[in-house]
């Protein structure tokens, strides 16, 4: 099955980012195709390569690893509002427009949303 | 975690219906504003879209929201302006509006369809993607 993920919550506030990552890993392990991940609102913070997490899992590195296996795109406008710049991004992760979200919705059989209202 | 339609018909649908579900009030978090921004973008890309307000999300459509000292915008007016962009109507869960002692007269002037909580369940079932704000 072709799957897509939308993440609406940032790292270390709630567990949405962790759950999205582990879901993605489990789906890939079961042979599903993960078409992409779209990061929206505070979800864009998982792209920050400057995250340091002494003694804890590093969520930026987790998504960097995910970026090797699928497209991980953060909403560029959300990033601007949060002071994120391209040079702050972890390798394999990109900023993009809402067109990336539309493509993801159109290409996938199912979209799963983590975080939000 | 939220998922949308699970019917085989949704597979590789080039025109999937996206349901934006506004559950949170206009102030207190960025969710409603970001949901509005997503609605604008999806309409610009001509993605079939339904917008439903339920629970405290019904407050987003209250008329007369002032900017106040915080300098925040009037989301009610903003949502009303989605119609000329191609959104046929806004939908509000009737029970949630009434349980907050509100009626349609309290809402912004827009094409608003009152739906039951039961109907909301059908809308969620029919949508390919449900994104909650």
């Amino acid at each position: 099955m072709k799957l897509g993920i939308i993440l609406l919550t940032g790292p270390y506030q709630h567990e949405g980012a962790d759950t999205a990552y582990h879901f993605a890993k489990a789906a890939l392990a079961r042979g599903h195709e993960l078409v992409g991940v779209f990061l929206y609102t505070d979800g864009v913070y998982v792209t920050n390569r400057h995250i340091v997490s002494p003694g804890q899992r590093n969520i930026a590195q987790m998504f960097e690893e995910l970026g090797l296996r699928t497209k991980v795109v953060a909403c560029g406008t959300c990033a601007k509002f949060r002071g994120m710049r391209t040079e702050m991004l972890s390798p394999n992760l990109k900023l993009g427009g809402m067109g990336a979200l539309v493509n993801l919705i159109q290409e996938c059989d199912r979209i799963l949303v983590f975080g939000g209202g | 975690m939220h998922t949308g339609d699970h019917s085989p018909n949704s597979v590789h649908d080039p025109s999937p219906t996206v349901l934006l579900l506004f559950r949170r009030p206009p102030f207190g978090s960025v969710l409603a504003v970001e949901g509005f921004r997503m609605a604008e973008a999806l309409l610009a890309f001509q993605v079939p879209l339904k917008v439903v307000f339920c629970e405290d999300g019904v407050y987003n459509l209250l008329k007369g929201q002032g900017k106040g000292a915080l300098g925040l915008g009037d989301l009610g007016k903003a949502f009303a302006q989605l119609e000329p962009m191609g959104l046929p109507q806004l939908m509000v869960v009737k029970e949630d509006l009434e349980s907050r002692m509100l009626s349609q007269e309290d809402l912004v002037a827009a094409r608003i369809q009152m739906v039951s909580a039961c109907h909301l369940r059908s809308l969620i079932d029919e949508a390919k993607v449900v994104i909650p704000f």
Side-chain angles (χ1 to χ4, degrees):
Chain A
M1 181 174 283
K2 290 178 143 189
L3 299 172
I5 288 176
I6 299 173
L7 178 63
L8 297 172
T9 185
Y12 306 110
Q13 180 75 19
H14 303 288
E15 293 171 357
D18 295 275
T19 310
Y21 168 80
H22 289 294
F23 174 85
K25 293 273 286 183
L28 289 166
R30 289 201 174 198
H32 294 291
E33 180 183 349
L34 184 59
V35 177
V37 178
F38 188 77
L39 309 170
Y40 196 65
T41 62
D42 279 356
V44 300
Y45 282 132
V46 304
T47 65
N48 189 343
R49 68 183 173 89
H50 298 295
I51 286 177
V52 177
S53 55
Q56 293 280 328
R57 80 276 186 223
N58 188 310
I59 295 179
Q61 288 176 2
M62 289 155 59
F63 277 80
E64 181 184 328
E65 172 205 328
L66 204 56
L68 289 169
R69 303 190 64 182
T70 189
K71 289 178 288 188
V72 180
V73 178
C75 168
T77 304
C78 299
K80 278 184 187 172
F81 269 96
R82 290 160 178 80
M84 298 280 297
R85 297 189 305 274
T86 306
E87 59 268 29
M88 296 167 69
L89 301 186
S90 297
N92 316 319
L93 310 182
K94 294 177 180 174
L95 297 181
M98 296 298 274
L101 172 65
V102 173
N103 288 339
L104 185 66
I105 290 170
Q106 290 178 335
E107 288 176 33
C108 292
D109 303 322
R110 300 246 182 110
I111 297 282
L112 294 103
V113 183
F114 296 85
Chain B
M1 185 174 71
H2 311 267
T3 60
D5 177 27
H6 315 301
S7 71
N9 292 336
S10 70
V11 174
H12 304 305
D13 184 352
S15 303
T17 296
V18 176
L19 174 64
L20 298 186
L21 192 59
F22 287 85
R23 302 178 58 210
R24 303 296 181 205
F27 305 109
S29 82
V30 76
L31 282 169
V33 174
E34 294 285 18
F36 169 77
R37 207 162 61 75
M38 185 178 281
E40 276 188 313
L42 293 176
L43 287 171
F45 281 96
Q46 299 183 320
V47 174
L49 181 66
K50 290 181 179 173
V51 176
V52 181
F53 299 85
C54 64
E55 304 173 46
D56 279 351
V58 301
Y59 290 121
N60 284 291
L61 294 183
L62 273 184
K63 62 185 172 189
Q65 296 176 38
K67 286 190 174 181
L70 293 177
L72 300 173
D74 184 337
L75 263 186
K77 275 186 186 172
F79 277 113
Q81 288 166 3
L82 289 178
E83 187 183 331
M85 294 179 65
L87 186 72
Q89 62 202 0
L90 303 166
M91 287 181 265
V92 176
V93 174
K94 187 170 180 284
E95 293 93 324
D96 291 340
L97 191 68
E98 291 175 350
S99 67
R100 286 159 181 78
M101 309 298 283
L102 296 170
S103 71
Q104 193 159 351
E105 292 175 357
D106 298 306
L107 306 183
V108 291
R111 190 171 298 169
I112 294 174
Q113 180 188 359
M114 291 293 164
V115 298
S116 66
C118 185
H119 188 207
L120 173 59
R121 185 176 171 181
S122 302
L123 292 169
I124 290 172
D125 282 344
E126 290 164 7
K128 178 179 179 184
V129 186
V130 180
I131 305 178
F133 288 100

